[in-house]
Amino acid sequence: MLRDKKGRRVLLAGFLILIGLLTLKLDYSFSIISNFSLSISDIFMLAATFVAGYPIAVSAFNAIRYKIFGIDALVTLAVIGAIYIREFWEAAAVTFLFMLGNYLEARALEKTRSAIRALLELAPDAARVIRDGLEIEISPDEVIKGEIVIVKPGEKIPVDGIVTEGNAYVNQASITGESMPVSKEDGAGVFSGTILESGYLKVKAERVGDDTTFARILEMVEEAQDKKAKTQKFLEVFAQYYTPGIVVLAVIVYILTKNLPLTLTLLVIACPGALVIATPVSVVAGIGNGARNGILIKGGEIIEKIGTVRVIAFDKTGTLTEGKPKVTNVKNYGIETRELLQITASAEMFSEHPLAKAIIDRAKADEDVELIEPDESEIITGQGLKARLADQVYIIGNKKILAEHGLDISPDIEEYINSEEAIGQTAVIVADYKEKRIIGVISIADTIRPDAPKLINKLRVAGVKRIVMLTGDNERAAKAIAEKIGLDGYYAELLPAGKVRILEELQAEYGAVAMVGDGVNDAPALASADLGIAIGGAGTDVAMETADLVLMSAEIIKLSYAIGLSRATVINIKQNIYFAVSVVILLLMGVLAKLVFLSSGMLIHILSVLAVIVNAMRLIGYKEK
């Protein structure tokens, strides 16, 4: 890959420069032609110049062919001049540092492009349809609108459509971000790319091929990334004026003075060595600090963006919440809590439903609870289950299963269940079928991350104007989470396209917007926001690769650290740029006034480069205040 070739060139050039510096004091030299000799150090410096400078010269030549005279051309001229006046160290240093900057930029750009490949791997790869009375397997692209598609457990649904037959639980996390599988039965809508976890469905295809929800997610990510890739860099704009100006100035100086060494000295001194590395070294130091603290920042442009964010939009499931349902409350009626958990967990022993797992995990966490294998267990899809333990029969599930078995809910229990559901809890009702009474209600919810409320407060202190939540979950659950965490607002029941639309509205009203998410359904929003932030600890690969910034652990509190680090890095970059430009201007004035000569100019130039590097290295020790 191009990035790998640049990386190898940077390493080789750096190695050659190091050897050149180590052999600097060796007196032995080679006479190439009469009155022209090279020391061992000179040879290694020239080799480093060729290794790093060759692609720069080629780029400059190709640009000049199209009448573009950029900073590549200035660097090439300066290097040729430095070689002519035997300043081989300067030639090697300039080409090496310039190539390092190019490598860092290429590395950041390639990282974002891999998101498309990751998304494609998640697309459905087969579809089972009924044609001429036969069940056949075809490519999802070959499904015709209106055909009946059969989906079995563990398979990805290949089309957007309507269920015509069957009952099943479908994991829609890839599209809606919902933390728990959703029950689907006749008349329910399903999305391409979602996974059928248990049950069996026949689906009438309504959207197929490139028209499906999943295909549109792919398209949105591609469009958003293309838009970002066209951003012009400050250095390119600067070079449009600086490079021709220096060349013209050098020509004028030569015409007026006929002094070739002075002219070449001007070109060499004017080559913005410190300016070229001013941004890359600060970026490397900032990125290195972030990496040590579990924060992946994908390049200098991203660091600059972080400090401009005015609004932060969070996904809910797996971002503000842990993404795993847990038992939050246990309400018992006429029975001990331990016994209620034992009955419920034992009855759910063979169920694969996420709610069952949450109950079993809670029961196992209690050392006093010993599970008993049920004599009989009947799972009723979309409602719950009926189980026999010893001589007792228990009904466990939602209100619907109780109604179908003739069990009434008293007003006080009804009020309790409604209050739990009002704050976003899922209420699992446990009833003794033989005695026709409810013995308990177990509340389950996707719990809020412990550091979420603290993060929201820190973001407000950092100057973020508005903090909202975008989620595919229902209005009730979204409201409960938003109120608990203290958000400024929330938007519920959103598909990926809806999240992108809300982000556009926020951008128009407030300015730069960041999106924080972890799932495939967040990929379009992460890509289209001014800044995409992925939670890596619990996130999907596509969210991590689409995002501009990744928190490698599940600790979202580190987002405030990332914002502080980015602002410190931007300040550092500006300090370096102002300093480098000031040094170049002073050196140019000194050269023209014949107060600065090559030796003293080179010393000042090298010291300015070292000063920029030392200033940037301060970022390595950055700590959040």
Side-chain angles (χ1 to χ4, degrees):
M1 292 186 293
L2 180 61
R3 176 174 65 84
D4 293 333
K5 290 181 179 179
K6 286 184 177 181
R8 286 194 292 268
R9 281 187 179 274
V10 169
L11 286 174
L12 179 56
F15 177 70
L16 291 171
I17 289 174
L18 180 61
I19 296 178
L21 292 173
L22 293 175
T23 58
L24 195 60
K25 293 187 177 182
L26 294 180
D27 294 331
Y28 189 78
S29 61
F30 299 89
S31 293
I32 308 300
I33 56 176
S34 179
N35 298 323
F36 186 81
S37 62
L38 293 173
S39 68
I40 294 175
S41 177
D42 292 340
I43 291 172
F44 279 108
M45 291 300 181
L46 282 171
T49 302
F50 178 78
V51 169
Y54 176 75
I56 300 171
V58 170
S59 176
F61 175 74
N62 291 333
I64 290 172
R65 287 171 56 194
Y66 293 98
K67 299 180 181 180
I68 300 173
F69 200 76
I71 200 166
D72 284 359
L74 179 59
V75 170
T76 303
L77 284 175
V79 168
I80 293 172
I83 292 173
Y84 183 81
I85 59 177
R86 299 180 62 84
E87 289 295 337
F88 304 123
W89 149 249
E90 181 69 14
V94 167
T95 52
F96 170 75
L97 294 170
F98 193 79
M99 179 57 69
L100 175 63
N102 283 342
Y103 167 72
L104 292 172
E105 181 179 352
R107 189 173 181 272
L109 287 174
E110 186 180 318
K111 197 81 174 178
T112 60
R113 288 293 177 189
S114 59
I116 302 299
R117 294 193 296 272
L119 267 176
L120 288 171
E121 291 175 0
L122 295 170
D125 53 10
R128 188 180 290 103
V129 301
I130 298 175
R131 286 184 182 174
D132 300 323
L134 299 175
E135 184 180 310
I136 62 172
E137 190 170 297
I138 60 175
S139 167
D141 294 333
E142 297 174 358
V143 178
I144 301 171
K145 185 176 179 179
E147 281 192 307
I148 300 299
V149 178
I150 298 172
V151 190
K152 297 180 179 180
E155 294 181 347
K156 295 176 183 176
I157 298 175
V159 297
D160 288 3
I162 300 296
V163 175
T164 61
E165 182 181 325
N167 288 285
Y169 278 98
V170 177
N171 185 336
Q172 298 190 148
S174 62
I175 300 296
T176 67
E178 290 170 293
S179 56
M180 293 180 284
V182 178
S183 175
K184 299 291 183 180
E185 52 190 19
D186 288 2
V190 294
F191 302 106
S192 169
T194 56
I195 300 172
L196 193 148
E197 291 201 344
S198 63
Y200 170 90
L201 292 179
K202 285 187 177 181
V203 178
K204 182 180 180 181
E206 292 199 329
R207 294 189 177 188
V208 299
D210 293 338
D211 195 35
T212 64
T213 301
F214 194 88
R216 292 202 302 274
I217 290 177
L218 284 172
E219 184 181 357
M220 282 187 283
V221 172
E222 285 181 315
E223 288 177 353
Q225 289 196 334
D226 286 342
K227 191 190 305 179
K228 285 186 176 180
K230 296 174 183 176
T231 304
Q232 292 296 313
K233 307 297 182 188
F234 165 76
L235 192 58
E236 294 172 352
V237 177
F238 173 78
Q240 289 177 4
Y241 301 96
Y242 183 81
T243 305
I246 292 300
V247 174
V248 170
L249 180 62
V251 171
I252 292 172
V253 168
Y254 180 72
I255 292 173
L256 295 175
T257 65
K258 304 298 181 183
N259 189 332
L260 183 58
L262 175 64
T263 304
L264 292 176
T265 301
L266 182 65
L267 274 177
V268 174
I269 294 296
C271 183
L275 185 61
V276 166
I277 67 166
T279 298
V281 293
S282 295
V283 167
V284 169
I287 289 175
N289 183 303
R292 281 205 326 272
N293 289 279
I295 301 165
L296 174 61
I297 305 172
K298 299 181 180 179
E301 184 182 350
I302 307 308
I303 287 179
E304 292 175 342
K305 284 183 178 179
I306 298 173
T308 66
V309 167
R310 294 292 173 266
V311 178
I312 296 183
F314 287 90
D315 173 50
K316 181 180 78 69
T317 304
T319 303
L320 291 173
T321 65
E322 294 182 351
K324 296 178 181 179
K326 292 183 179 179
V327 173
T328 54
N329 287 311
V330 179
K331 184 75 171 178
N332 46 306
Y333 298 98
I335 187 175
E336 294 293 327
T337 300
R338 184 188 66 79
E339 187 179 355
L340 174 62
L341 284 171
Q342 182 183 47
I343 291 170
T344 311
S346 297
E348 299 274 17
M349 186 181 295
F350 299 118
S351 174
E352 297 179 357
H353 196 285
L355 296 184
K357 186 177 184 304
I359 294 170
I360 293 170
D361 287 345
R362 172 62 183 272
K364 287 182 177 179
D366 189 331
E367 296 180 1
D368 294 333
V369 173
E370 181 181 349
L371 301 189
I372 304 167
E373 185 173 321
D375 298 322
E376 295 178 17
S377 182
E378 178 188 357
I379 296 175
I380 304 171
T381 304
Q383 298 181 19
L385 61 83
K386 181 178 181 181
R388 179 184 295 276
L389 293 171
D391 296 332
Q392 299 293 328
V393 176
Y394 298 96
I395 303 295
I396 302 169
N398 54 26
K399 295 178 183 178
K400 190 172 182 180
I401 193 173
L402 265 69
E404 292 197 0
H405 285 78
L407 296 171
D408 295 326
I409 302 175
S410 64
D412 60 323
I413 296 178
E414 178 88 33
E415 183 180 351
Y416 174 76
I417 293 171
N418 290 339
S419 67
E420 289 294 278
E421 291 179 342
I423 58 173
Q425 312 276 340
T426 297
V428 177
I429 308 167
V430 185
D432 185 323
Y433 185 52
K434 186 179 288 186
E435 296 186 12
K436 301 292 184 182
R437 70 182 182 90
I438 293 173
I439 59 175
V441 177
I442 299 176
S443 300
I444 301 174
D446 187 7
T447 54
I448 295 172
R449 290 185 186 274
D451 50 357
K454 185 178 179 181
L455 171 65
I456 301 306
N457 291 332
K458 281 195 167 192
L459 292 177
R460 287 202 174 94
V461 172
V464 179
K465 299 297 182 184
R466 187 167 176 81
I467 306 170
V468 300
M469 180 174 68
L470 313 182
T471 179
D473 270 2
N474 61 69
E475 175 84 12
R476 186 175 56 199
K479 182 180 179 181
I481 295 294
E483 289 178 349
K484 285 181 181 178
I485 297 177
L487 301 177
D488 297 317
Y490 65 91
Y491 302 85
E493 300 177 10
L494 296 175
L495 291 176
K499 292 184 179 182
V500 172
R501 175 179 54 80
I502 296 298
L503 286 175
E504 290 173 351
E505 293 174 1
L506 291 171
Q507 286 168 328
E509 185 174 355
Y510 296 99
V513 176
M515 175 68 195
V516 188
D518 77 307
V520 178
N521 64 297
D522 299 320
L526 290 173
S528 61
D530 296 286
L531 181 73
I533 302 170
I535 307 298
T540 61
D541 289 340
V542 64
M544 291 174 64
E545 294 193 24
T546 305
D548 303 305
L549 183 150
V550 180
L551 306 182
M552 300 305 291
S553 73
E555 300 174 73
I556 60 171
I557 193 67
K558 289 188 175 181
L559 178 56
S560 67
Y561 183 93
I563 291 175
L565 175 62
S566 72
R567 289 178 175 173
T569 304
V570 169
I571 291 172
N572 194 275
I573 290 171
K574 289 179 179 179
Q575 290 171 346
N576 283 345
I577 289 175
Y578 295 153
F579 174 74
V581 170
S582 299
V583 169
V584 170
I585 292 173
L586 290 173
L587 283 175
L588 287 175
M589 293 171 62
V591 170
L592 294 174
K594 296 186 179 181
L595 297 173
V596 175
F597 301 96
L598 188 58
S599 57
S600 58
M602 284 300 121
L603 178 61
I604 296 172
H605 202 167
I606 292 171
L607 289 176
S608 71
V609 171
L610 292 175
V612 165
I613 293 173
V614 170
N615 185 51
M617 290 303 101
R618 293 190 303 112
L619 289 170
I620 293 177
Y622 170 84
K623 293 181 180 179
E624 190 175 19
K625 295 180 181 179

